[in-house]
């Protein structure tokens, strides 16, 4: 059985990993990654398309000239995309987040195993926790970079706006605001970092204790040597 200290520290890391897992699920499920206002011109009118969408679905509204609302619709992102580059990058973000989800799940399993037992294999101990937590953090950071690249570089909002209305012509400008579904990815990175710090302190304390037990006999007290 593991010591009480080991159990408590790995249990704390387990809570951080499970929280990270839950946040990634929320991020995948919610459609508030970005809100955009895209302005277009058409004969005798200026149209503003207001979009709020995530990786899978979103909503759009059209406002003509002085704020007259024309319609509000719900759309599926994959169906509304016509560009292969935009679609591929959107799929890439989803795949990266699914891999991060699996990494977080494995990290939760490793921390739970160490909280309840002392595994013999080295990789099942702190090394495995370091590996899966680090991988999850890197994947989350990658997703946070790829999504804005798709929005800004591939004009994702403008493409989705064209899917909401077929009568749009000249693009006049766009404004983008990233929502909570995007920014809470930072919480995943913080939770992964917290888990790594907890395991590092446990591993460092264990290493220091092991070194003290292996001190050469010449460093031992004289009365112990005489005995």
């Amino acid at each position: 059985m593991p010591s009480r200290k080991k159990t408590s520290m790995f249990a704390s890391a387990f809570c951080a990993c499970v929280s990270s897992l839950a946040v990634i699920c929320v991020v995948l499920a919610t459609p508030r990654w970005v809100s955009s206002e895209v302005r277009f011109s058409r004969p005798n009118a200026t149209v503003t398309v207001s979009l709020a969408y995530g990786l899978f679905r979103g909503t759009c509204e059209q406002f003509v000239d002085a704020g007259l609302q024309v319609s509000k619709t719900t759309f599926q992102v994959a169906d509304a995309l016509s560009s292969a580059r935009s679609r591929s990058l959107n799929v890439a973000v989803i795949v990266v987040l699914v891999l991060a989800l699996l990494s977080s799940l494995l990290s939760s399993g490793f921390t739970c195993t160490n909280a309840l037992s002392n595994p013999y294999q080295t990789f099942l101990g702190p090394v495995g926790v370091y590996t899966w937590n680090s991988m999850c953090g890197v994947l989350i950071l990658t997703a946070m970079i790829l999504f804005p690249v798709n929005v800004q570089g591939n004009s994702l909002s403008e493409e989705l706006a064209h899917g909401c209305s077929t009568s749009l012509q000249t693009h006049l400008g766009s404004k983008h605001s990233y929502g909570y579904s995007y920014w809470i990815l930072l919480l995943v990175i913080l939770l992964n970092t917290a888990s790594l710090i907890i395991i590092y302190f446990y591993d460092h304390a264990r290493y220091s204790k092991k070194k003290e037990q292996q001190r050469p006999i010449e460093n031992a007290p004289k009365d112990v040597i005489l005995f």
Side-chain angles (χ1 to χ4, degrees), residues 39-134:
R39 295 175 62 245
F40 294 92
S41 67
R42 67 183 183 188
N44 303 320
T46 299
V47 179
T48 300
V49 180
S50 180
L51 300 149
Y53 60 93
L55 299 174
F56 299 102
R57 66 186 187 280
T59 59
C60 66
E61 299 176 81
Q62 294 184 58
F63 300 90
V64 180
D65 289 334
L68 175 64
Q69 182 176 343
V70 176
S71 62
K72 181 177 181 179
T73 58
T74 301
F75 61 89
Q76 298 297 318
V77 173
D79 296 336
L81 292 177
S82 57
S83 168
R85 288 181 60 187
S86 299
R87 189 184 298 112
S88 299
L89 209 51
N90 191 64
V91 170
V93 174
I94 295 171
V95 170
V96 167
L97 286 176
V98 170
L99 291 175
L101 187 69
L102 293 175
S103 298
S104 188
L105 182 62
L106 286 169
S107 184
S108 300
F110 275 46
T111 49
C112 183
T113 299
N114 281 272
L116 300 176
S117 64
N118 292 312
Y120 293 105
Q121 291 88 349
T122 304
F123 189 72
L124 293 179
V127 174
V129 179
Y130 290 146
T131 301
W132 295 118
N133 269 278
S134 300

